[in-house]
Amino acid sequence: MKGLSLADGRKLLAPLAMGALLLSTATIPARADSDGIVNGSNVPVPAVSSTGLPECPAAHFTPSSFSFDISWVDSFARVYLLADRTHGGTSTVPAGAVMVMDLNAINFNSPNATNQGITYLTPPPGDAFAGIRCDANAAFGGTGGAGRNELTGPDGVFSVNHTEAWLGDGPKFFALPSPETNTAADYVNDGCDSSVRVFNLITGKQTDHINVGGCFRTDEGAFDPKDQVAIFANPSEQPLPGNHHATALNNSPFVTLISTVPVAPGKHHKILKQINFDGTHGTYAANGGIEQAVYSPKTGLFYVAVPGNSTDADNGVVAVIDPRGDADDIHFVRNFHLKNCSPNGAALGPDFELFLGCSGAFPEQVIDIRNGHLIATAAGTNGGCDEVDFNAGDNHFVGACTGTTATGTDALDVVDADPVNHDISIDTKTRGAHSVAADPVTVQNFMPATSGTGANAGGLCGPTPCILLFGSTGGDDPSEFQQEAREHHHHDFDRHDDDND
C-alpha cells in the first residue's frame, strides 16, 4: 500500500486488532489457576546523558538514567504512552517528552524486543515541559536533591478519542533561592501556571497548552468519552503567602474538568469547572494528595483515588464526581471512605469492581463503585502500590508496587479479577517501577524500569533502562469477553430451563 504512513496503518489495523482480540479470546480454553506470567521480553530505552540540571549542575543523567511517570495503553490505536522526563529537551538538559511505542512494531516473542517502534512527542521550541527540578525543600515534599516531583513534568498521560495524548505538566521554570529556606517563601516567584498539554497522535504536534493555574504540578487524570470531559488533579497545592500569582484555588489540592471537544487552531479547550478538595462542601481535605482517576461508562461518573490525609493517613477515600452537564451541573457527589487503604492507583474491572492500589503495607482492595462497599482484600499482595490497571485479555488486575518484597525492590502484582485472588508478585529487582499499563489485545503488561546497575544489579532490564513486558505462558483465566459470553450462555440456559418447568 504505497504511501501508507504509520498513523494511517494504525487506523487500518485498529479494527483488525480488536477483531483479533475477540477471536482469540473466544478460542482460548480456561485452565486451572497456573498463570505462568513472566517477564518474557523487554524494550530497551534509548540512552540519554546530560551535563547538569537547572539549579543543581552536579545532578546529571548517565546513559543508565530513566525518569518517568504514568503510562497508558490505547488498545484501539495500538500505542503505548509514557510520561517520560528523561528524553526530550536539549542535549544538555533533558526536559521531558511523551514516549510513544507502536505496539504493531514490537516483537513480543523476542527476549530483547526492538526499540524501533519508539518515537517521542515534544512541545514546540520555547515551550518545553517542566522537566526535572532540583528542590531540597523538605517542608514541601522535597527529597534533598534532584527529582522534586511537585515541580516536575510531564506527568500522568492518557489518550482521548484514540487520536490525542493528554497529560499534566509542572509550572514553568522559576528560580529557587540558594540556599533554600525550606519555607513557602522559596516559591514566591512560582508563576502558578501548571498545565495540561494536548498532542495529536497522528501529526505528533502539540495542539494545546492549557494553564490550569496550579502552583505545583498537574498530575494524573482520566477521560469521559460520552460527555467529552477530561479530569486532572493538582495534588500538592498549599498556601504560598507572598506569591502574587497564587489564589484561593491554590490553598488546597484541586481537580480540573476540561472539555475535550476539538477546538480551532490557536484556541484553548474550555475549563469547565475546578473543585477544591479542602474539606468543605462534603469534599475530603486532601492534604495527602490526589491520585489516579477512572471513568465508568456504566455509571457516567469519575472515581478519584485520594490518599489518607494528615488526620488519618492510613484510611483514604474514593471521591465520586459527576461530569455531566454544564459548569453548574458538574459536581462532587460523595466520598467512599476506605479502611486500611490509602489509595494511589485505581482501575475499573468487571461489572462494578474498582481495584485500588494501597500505599504502605496495605494489600490491594476491590470495592463496588455503586456504594463503596468492600468486595475483597487481595491478601498476599505487596502494598505500597502506585499505578494499577486491568487487563481484560486475561481478566487480571496488575499493580506496580514498591519495596516490600523479600529483596526490598519493586514488584508487579497480578490479581485475578473474578474471583478476586492474588496470583503472583514478580520481583523486578529494581526500584522506582511505579508505572504499569495493560494491553488486552496482546495480553501483555508494560512496566517501565530503571537499569539493573549499581544498587539495582541484577534488575530485569539489564544494564540499560527498558520497558518490561509481562505475558502469560499459561493463559489460565478466561478473558473478560469470554466471561461475559459464558454469563450470557448461562442466562440463556436458565431461561430455557424455566420454559421446561
Side-chain angles (χ1 to χ4, degrees), residues 42-43 45 64-68 80 82 410 428-435 446-452 456 459-462 464-468 470:
N42 301 332
V43 179
V45 171
S64 62
S65 300
F66 192 23
S67 177
F68 53 85
Y80 166 84
L82 177 68
D410 295 343
T428 65
K429 301 182 176 64
T430 187
R431 293 185 181 276
H434 59 274
S435 182
F446 299 77
M447 195 174 191
T450 55
S451 64
N456 299 323
L460 296 183
C461 278
T464 60
C466 74
I467 310 297
L468 300 170
F470 294 91

Side-chain angles (χ1 to χ4, degrees), residues 187-192 215 240-247:
Y187 306 95
V188 69
N189 294 317
D190 186 335
C192 297
C215 298
L240 296 180
N243 185 316
H244 68 276
H245 296 289
T247 68

Side-chain angles (χ1 to χ4, degrees), residues 153-294:
D155 303 308
V157 63
F158 55 88
S159 62
V160 167
N161 298 323
H162 312 297
T163 60
E164 293 179 328
W166 287 53
L167 67 162
D169 193 18
K172 290 183 179 178
F173 180 85
F174 63 93
L176 286 163
S178 181
E180 294 177 34
T181 66
N182 287 343
T183 68
D186 289 345
Y187 306 95
V188 69
N189 294 317
D190 186 335
C192 297
D193 54 2
S194 69
S195 60
V196 170
R197 309 281 191 133
V198 181
F199 287 85
N200 186 298
L201 291 173
I202 308 301
T203 66
K205 303 296 184 181
Q206 178 176 290
T207 59
D208 203 357
H209 185 171
I210 309 161
N211 181 359
V212 302
C215 298
F216 298 95
R217 67 170 176 157
T218 304
D219 194 11
E220 299 178 61
F223 172 51
D224 163 9
K226 181 177 181 180
D227 303 289
Q228 291 293 303
V229 175
I231 187 172
F232 280 90
N234 275 67
S236 299
E237 301 300 310
Q238 50 198 293
L240 296 180
N243 185 316
H244 68 276
H245 296 289
T247 68
L249 178 70
N250 306 111
N251 288 339
S252 65
F254 64 86
V255 297
T256 302
L257 292 100
I258 307 171
S259 170
T260 60
V261 174
V263 297
K267 301 294 184 180
H268 289 301
H269 291 82
K270 183 180 180 180
I271 293 178
L272 301 172
K273 193 159 190 171
Q274 294 180 297
I275 302 173
N276 274 97
F277 281 55
D278 57 3
T280 66
H281 308 293
T283 62
Y284 187 73
N287 54 40
I290 304 175
E291 292 286 340
Q292 196 170 358
V294 296

Side-chain angles (χ1 to χ4, degrees), residues 37 65 102 325 345 364:
I37 293 178
S65 300
D102 178 5
E364 290 100 302

